[in-house]
Amino acid sequence: MSKIPYKTYLSESEMPTKWYNVRADMKNKPAPLLNPGTLQPMTAQELSAVFCDELIKQELDNDTPFIDIPEEICDFYKMYRPSPLVRAYCLEKALDTPAKIYYKFEGNNTSGSHKLNSAIAQAYYAKKQGLKGVTTETGAGQWGTALSMACAYLGLDCKVYMVKVSYEQKPFRREVMRTYGASVTPSPSETTNVGKKILAEHPGTTGSLGCAISEAVEAATTTEGYRYVLGSVLNQVVLHQSIIGLESKLAFDKIGEKPDVIIGCAGGGSNLGGLIAPFMGEKLRGEADYRIVAVEPASCPSFTRGKFAYDFCDTGMVCPLAKMYTLGSGFIPSPNHAGGLRYHGMSSILSQLYHDGLMEAASVDQTSVFAAAQQFARVEGILPAPESSHAIRVAIDEALKCKETGEEKTIFFGLTGTGYFDMVAYQKYNDGEMSDYIPTDEDLAVGFAGLPKVDK
Amino acid sequence: MSKIPYKTYLSESEMPTKWYNVRADMKNKPAPLLNPGTLQPMTAQELSAVFCDELIKQELDNDTPFIDIPEEICDFYKMYRPSPLVRAYCLEKALDTPAKIYYKFEGNNTSGSHKLNSAIAQAYYAKKQGLKGVTTETGAGQWGTALSMACAYLGLDCKVYMVKVSYEQKPFRREVMRTYGASVTPSPSETTNVGKKILAEHPGTTGSLGCAISEAVEAATTTEGYRYVLGSVLNQVVLHQSIIGLESKLAFDKIGEKPDVIIGCAGGGSNLGGLIAPFMGEKLRGEADYRIVAVEPASCPSFTRGKFAYDFCDTGMVCPLAKMYTLGSGFIPSPNHAGGLRYHGMSSILSQLYHDGLMEAASVDQTSVFAAAQQFARVEGILPAPESSHAIRVAIDEALKCKETGEEKTIFFGLTGTGYFDMVAYQKYNDGEMSDYIPTDEDLAVGFAGLPKVDK
């Protein structure tokens, strides 16, 4: 048999034309979003002030296993997809491991990450509904960049509320979005009532994701022809991101391989949910078994130390409640945390799967994450995003275990993106100035104390 | 016939295993490098204090048409190559042109450009010669990044002298190089005699590429086990970069297409020389005809307004003389020039081909270059490097001409890299603060006045 190539690409005709909805195969469905006022499940009509109609359908659909990808989205995907399934020959050699290591690389597009897979879908449905534009928030900027790209392509307005501290510290991310025609507003701002209120109460604030969400939602609901879009956590996002796992599965089939362990980083769950979707589907249907590992920062440990409970999706508490593993919407990771994945909660789908014992979770310290990132960059030639590097850390650790045991496991991880706009964090690491932080139980208690009382 | 795909990849088994040396097919060979002292052609022995032995062979070889790519380099190429030949369907649609537009995209690797193709080759031969490390200079940082990556992979020391103003203004480029283990020194520095001398004479200087070259050469020639490497201009670089054109040609053959016009940006000539090599070979052998266009900035117009003469390769005048189209080694582009391609001279190979009428040259203003970059980014989803955008500008202009005439030309250009580290320039453009500059004849006369008197 000929050697497995470094990179396996599907041909364009082999690319998936349907997203896979893992909820259809889940025995225990993810819990519904609740109206924060009535504590009753959100109806499509209640959601329609905020979200596009077709996306609401996808959000609420727990039954349809496959959903057609519209042709226009398939065409857009062809601009930057299929992404390669890479055999990490050089990393294997450097680790001297008998394990076979594969990764799916989603960073070869200008947004720098997998976020574009859902951004184009959400922008497409907004355009199709005849809307004028969309609003969103962005922290590190990957989602904002992806949405700006999608909107530029479709001729849709894009208003991004960017956490003020990021706006000031990451001017280059901001300029990429502006190059794609988005308007980028530092949050909190004077352009919304909630922004004005926060500025009046905390004049010197550098903002937070929670505040930016509140501003983006207000802007969407008070501007004719706009809706709000979100890059993670939601069911619809996991649906769109299933393209990652579907392509991976087809590529593995093509080379006649099958992963034993599947590893992905987890912040809100957009990447991990998409990466594992079809593999989890096989597991749920009893057709195959895989070990699946979610990796999160020790400084923001939703899965490993959070509670499975209904909570607000945003710190401003304007959004519906979701049942998920959460640290409480008031939890904010330590300022020394540079490695992304700062969200206090987790996708309801992944939370349910984890709760049902269908996947594991691990937490890792950020200095060990950057050590893995550097090692990976030097042998595999890709500078990984800090987020992605959480998965690299655990993949390397698994491969080193195989070295000890002699097992020839097939390890597969998601490499979600590149770190070109994260060099401040790399610099800290290069200068030996990066530290670790593990919240104490007392630290976590503060977030838990703010959990809403919901009897479900 | 099925639709031509958006992206055409070669399989790994189809990838070229030999570089193509266009000099072998040139009737008029490029003029030899001259010893600046004796004005006689540099011998291999004279060059060996500065360059690796195998690279000197390649530099001086005007006759061998194909040179084997060592297996280790082929393996490294497989980490990030083949690069895709992309059909720009979205750009065609946006321009409403009957022309077919293709580009070869070299930016999907962490160095962000084609520079890695030669960096790995030069680092490999240095390693094979048993050297401890290499030195080089970098301005914008693409070459320094590429060399750092190659050296990290091979376990070779890498000392980069980075023009001080870039070192300070582009800290992220610097951090990428440090992440790859390179030592990065702002130039001029106290680490070399020439650096000390310049600092003593001009205490506040922010450095220049010429000074950084001088420091890198001094560091290489005075440190046991080191040699100097260069990312453009040299014949060996054009040889290594032929991988771009070879892959392109194979991909065109695969889809049954043939370009009418080939367009590339030109600074020192590394990308353009590689892109056109096999096509120029066919042209030289009378097997096919192509229109070939070099695009340069109006503010640094070596081809379109320079002289074909022997000149120093560096402003410090420590390197050999090369016969080339040049603005004089003392020429420095206006400080308002943000778009790369600042080198005063041009590859001797390309200079000879241009002199012999085998290719054309065009110069473009930087605001029009950034307008093309923005338009391209918004429809093709790739944020291009300013350098690459020179080629985009002319490709778009050619496609718009086709729209007028109704011609269905096949336009092919080289997209050398991404602009993620060039956002300061994009910001200037986004803010409407970018201006154009065309040197007057008087401006150019200053550079020409410094040309050495060589009777060849």
Side-chain angles (χ1 to χ4, degrees):
Chain A
M1 198 186 126
S2 64
K3 186 182 173 184
I4 287 169
Y6 282 66
K7 293 189 246 76
T8 300
Y9 286 102
L10 304 179
S11 70
E12 282 172 16
S13 59
E14 291 169 326
M15 283 174 67
T17 57
K18 294 169 194 292
W19 291 303
Y20 168 62
N21 181 6
V22 71
R23 286 168 282 166
D25 286 309
M26 289 169 71
K27 199 173 138 194
N28 299 323
K29 306 293 182 189
L33 295 172
L34 298 188
N35 182 313
T38 65
L39 298 184
Q40 294 303 305
M42 292 287 289
T43 64
Q45 204 188 340
E46 286 172 331
L47 289 166
S48 69
V50 179
F51 296 122
C52 303
D53 298 345
E54 191 64 32
L55 293 167
I56 294 169
K57 268 193 218 165
Q58 294 179 357
E59 189 65 29
L60 300 178
D61 186 342
N62 283 343
D63 305 307
T64 313
F66 288 96
I67 293 176
D68 283 335
I69 307 174
E71 198 183 334
E72 293 87 338
I73 299 178
C74 284
D75 282 348
F76 187 89
Y77 279 167
K78 285 176 193 160
M79 266 176 36
Y80 71 101
R81 308 196 68 81
S83 70
L85 177 69
V86 185
R87 173 75 182 267
Y89 281 117
C90 302
L91 181 60
E92 291 171 17
K93 195 175 158 197
L95 299 174
D96 189 23
T97 176
K100 292 183 269 187
I101 308 176
Y102 289 89
Y103 57 91
K104 178 77 167 167
F105 180 42
E106 291 288 316
N108 269 351
N109 71 76
T110 283
S111 85
S113 81
H114 67 291
K115 294 282 184 187
L116 196 51
N117 301 329
S118 185
I120 184 61
Q122 296 193 46
Y124 168 79
Y125 290 117
K127 182 78 181 178
K128 206 179 158 206
Q129 194 174 321
L131 297 175
K132 190 161 171 265
V134 290
T135 70
T136 200
E137 76 292 330
T138 203
Q142 287 183 331
W143 168 248
T145 308
L147 189 67
S148 304
M149 289 177 66
C151 288
Y153 181 81
L154 294 167
L156 201 64
D157 278 3
C158 181
K159 290 184 196 295
V160 180
Y161 287 87
M162 187 171 189
V163 177
K164 192 179 275 175
V165 62
S166 292
Y167 183 90
E168 284 163 1
Q169 289 182 355
K170 292 193 162 189
F172 296 162
R173 268 283 183 209
R174 182 185 79 206
E175 286 309 318
V176 178
M177 290 184 258
R178 288 183 69 208
T179 300
Y180 280 92
S183 80
V184 187
T185 305
S187 169
S189 75
E190 297 282 350
T191 67
T192 64
N193 290 327
V194 64
K196 281 180 203 162
K197 185 161 170 270
I198 291 168
L199 281 172
E201 287 168 10
H202 311 278
T205 181
T206 54
S208 73
L209 208 52
C211 169
I213 293 179
S214 305
E215 287 205 86
V217 170
E218 180 183 321
T221 51
T222 58
T223 313
E224 181 69 27
Y226 278 74
R227 291 295 185 283
Y228 168 72
V229 296
L230 181 66
S232 193
V233 184
L234 297 175
N235 296 340
Q236 59 188 270
V237 176
V238 172
L239 174 72
H240 304 148
Q241 295 296 356
S242 70
I243 189 82
I244 307 173
L246 291 165
E247 278 186 11
S248 302
K249 182 130 193 7
L250 287 167
F252 272 117
D253 290 346
K254 203 167 171 168
I255 56 175
E257 293 268 304
K258 187 174 166 300
D260 297 304
V261 194
I262 304 172
I263 300 163
C265 62
S270 68
N271 150 68
L272 183 68
L275 178 75
I276 67 173
F279 301 98
M280 182 59 82
E282 289 188 296
K283 192 165 170 166
L284 289 164
R285 295 189 304 270
E287 296 165 8
D289 196 20
Y290 303 96
R291 212 183 124 212
I292 294 173
V293 186
V295 190
E296 58 187 16
S299 56
C300 189
S302 328
F303 269 141
T304 50
R305 296 177 69 196
K307 289 191 192 303
F308 188 43
Y310 265 106
D311 193 11
F312 293 98
C313 290
D314 62 321
T315 41
M317 304 185 184
V318 300
C319 293
L321 305 181
K323 190 167 182 189
M324 54 187 178
Y325 278 85
T326 178
L327 299 165
S329 64
F331 177 84
I332 294 175
S334 157
N336 87 338
H337 176 67
L341 310 175
R342 305 171 139 268
Y343 190 62
H344 67 277
M346 184 59 67
S347 141
S348 289
I349 294 175
L350 293 179
S351 293
Q352 188 64 50
L353 291 167
Y354 180 64
H355 186 69
D356 291 343
L358 289 153
M359 50 185 277
E360 306 166 25
S363 74
V364 288
D365 288 335
Q366 71 174 351
T367 51
S368 76
V369 166
F370 277 84
Q374 187 191 74
Q375 182 175 20
F376 181 84
R378 290 186 183 183
V379 294
E380 287 288 322
I382 295 170
L383 186 84
E387 292 85 350
S388 325
S389 305
H390 287 72
I392 298 174
R393 173 73 273 158
V394 171
I396 288 177
D397 291 344
E398 286 290 326
L400 291 174
K401 274 185 223 160
C402 288
K403 187 181 172 182
E404 278 178 31
T405 62
E407 285 175 290
E408 292 181 22
K409 278 190 191 163
T410 299
I411 298 166
F412 171 46
F413 69 94
L415 188 68
T416 57
T418 49
Y420 305 138
F421 293 95
D422 300 289
M423 295 318 296
V424 170
Y426 271 98
Q427 179 168 5
K428 267 194 193 162
Y429 179 74
N430 291 338
D431 288 341
E433 288 170 3
M434 182 175 278
S435 58
D436 291 317
Y437 167 75
I438 301 177
T440 63
D441 289 343
E442 288 70 35
D443 293 333
L444 294 184
V446 177
F448 294 145
L451 284 175
K453 289 188 177 52
V454 180
D455 187 24
K456 290 185 192 238
Chain B
M1 199 187 123
S2 63
K3 187 181 171 184
I4 287 169
Y6 281 67
K7 294 189 246 76
T8 300
Y9 286 102
L10 304 179
S11 70
E12 283 173 15
S13 59
E14 291 169 324
M15 283 174 66
T17 56
K18 293 169 193 292
W19 291 302
Y20 168 62
N21 181 6
V22 71
R23 285 167 283 166
D25 285 308
M26 289 169 70
K27 200 173 139 194
N28 301 323
K29 306 292 181 189
L33 295 171
L34 297 189
N35 182 312
T38 65
L39 299 185
Q40 294 303 307
M42 292 287 288
T43 63
Q45 203 188 341
E46 286 171 331
L47 289 167
S48 68
V50 179
F51 296 121
C52 303
D53 298 344
E54 191 65 30
L55 292 168
I56 294 168
K57 267 193 217 165
Q58 295 179 355
E59 190 64 29
L60 299 177
D61 185 342
N62 284 341
D63 304 308
T64 313
F66 289 96
I67 293 176
D68 284 336
I69 308 175
E71 198 183 334
E72 294 88 336
I73 299 178
C74 285
D75 282 348
F76 187 89
Y77 279 167
K78 284 176 194 160
M79 267 177 34
Y80 71 100
R81 309 198 65 83
S83 70
L85 177 68
V86 185
R87 173 75 181 266
Y89 281 117
C90 302
L91 181 61
E92 291 172 16
K93 196 176 158 197
L95 298 174
D96 189 22
T97 177
K100 292 184 271 188
I101 308 177
Y102 289 90
Y103 56 91
K104 179 77 167 167
F105 180 42
E106 291 288 317
N108 270 351
N109 72 76
T110 282
S111 85
S113 81
H114 66 291
K115 294 283 183 186
L116 196 51
N117 300 329
S118 185
I120 184 59
Q122 296 192 47
Y124 169 79
Y125 290 118
K127 181 80 180 176
K128 207 178 157 206
Q129 194 174 321
L131 296 175
K132 190 162 173 265
V134 290
T135 71
T136 199
E137 77 291 329
T138 203
Q142 288 183 331
W143 168 247
T145 308
L147 190 67
S148 304
M149 290 177 66
C151 288
Y153 182 81
L154 295 167
L156 202 63
D157 279 2
C158 180
K159 291 184 196 292
V160 180
Y161 287 87
M162 187 172 190
V163 177
K164 191 179 275 175
V165 63
S166 291
Y167 182 90
E168 285 162 1
Q169 289 182 354
K170 293 194 164 190
F172 297 161
R173 268 285 183 209
R174 181 185 80 207
E175 287 309 318
V176 178
M177 290 184 259
R178 288 183 68 209
T179 300
Y180 281 91
S183 79
V184 187
T185 306
S187 168
S189 74
E190 297 282 351
T191 67
T192 64
N193 289 327
V194 63
K196 282 180 204 165
K197 185 161 171 270
I198 291 167
L199 281 172
E201 288 168 9
H202 311 277
T205 182
T206 55
S208 71
L209 206 54
C211 169
I213 293 178
S214 305
E215 287 204 86
V217 170
E218 181 183 320
T221 51
T222 58
T223 315
E224 182 69 27
Y226 279 72
R227 292 293 185 284
Y228 168 73
V229 296
L230 181 65
S232 192
V233 184
L234 297 175
N235 296 339
Q236 59 188 269
V237 176
V238 172
L239 174 72
H240 304 148
Q241 295 295 357
S242 70
I243 189 81
I244 307 173
L246 292 164
E247 279 187 9
S248 302
K249 183 131 194 3
L250 288 167
F252 271 118
D253 290 346
K254 202 166 171 167
I255 55 174
E257 293 268 304
K258 187 174 167 299
D260 297 304
V261 193
I262 303 172
I263 300 163
C265 62
S270 67
N271 149 69
L272 183 68
L275 177 76
I276 67 173
F279 301 98
M280 182 60 83
E282 289 188 295
K283 194 165 170 167
L284 289 164
R285 298 189 302 271
E287 296 164 8
D289 197 18
Y290 303 96
R291 212 183 124 211
I292 293 173
V293 186
V295 189
E296 60 187 15
S299 56
C300 191
S302 328
F303 269 142
T304 51
R305 296 175 69 197
K307 290 191 192 302
F308 189 44
Y310 265 107
D311 193 11
F312 293 98
C313 291
D314 62 321
T315 41
M317 303 185 184
V318 299
C319 292
L321 305 181
K323 190 169 182 187
M324 55 187 177
Y325 278 84
T326 179
L327 299 164
S329 64
F331 177 84
I332 294 176
S334 157
N336 87 338
H337 176 68
L341 309 175
R342 305 172 141 268
Y343 190 63
H344 67 277
M346 184 59 68
S347 140
S348 289
I349 294 174
L350 293 179
S351 293
Q352 188 65 49
L353 291 167
Y354 180 63
H355 186 70
D356 291 342
L358 289 153
M359 49 185 278
E360 307 166 25
S363 74
V364 288
D365 288 336
Q366 72 173 352
T367 52
S368 76
V369 166
F370 277 83
Q374 188 192 72
Q375 181 174 22
F376 181 84
R378 291 187 181 182
V379 294
E380 288 288 321
I382 295 170
L383 187 84
E387 292 84 350
S388 324
S389 305
H390 288 72
I392 297 175
R393 174 73 273 158
V394 171
I396 288 178
D397 291 344
E398 286 290 326
L400 291 175
K401 273 185 223 158
C402 288
K403 186 180 174 183
E404 278 179 30
T405 61
E407 285 175 289
E408 293 181 21
K409 278 189 192 165
T410 300
I411 298 167
F412 171 47
F413 69 94
L415 188 69
T416 56
T418 49
Y420 306 138
F421 293 95
D422 299 289
M423 295 318 296
V424 170
Y426 271 98
Q427 178 168 6
K428 266 193 196 165
Y429 179 74
N430 292 337
D431 289 340
E433 287 171 3
M434 182 174 278
S435 58
D436 291 317
Y437 166 74
I438 301 177
T440 63
D441 288 344
E442 289 70 35
D443 293 333
L444 295 185
V446 177
F448 294 145
L451 284 175
K453 287 187 178 55
V454 180
D455 187 25
K456 290 186 193 239

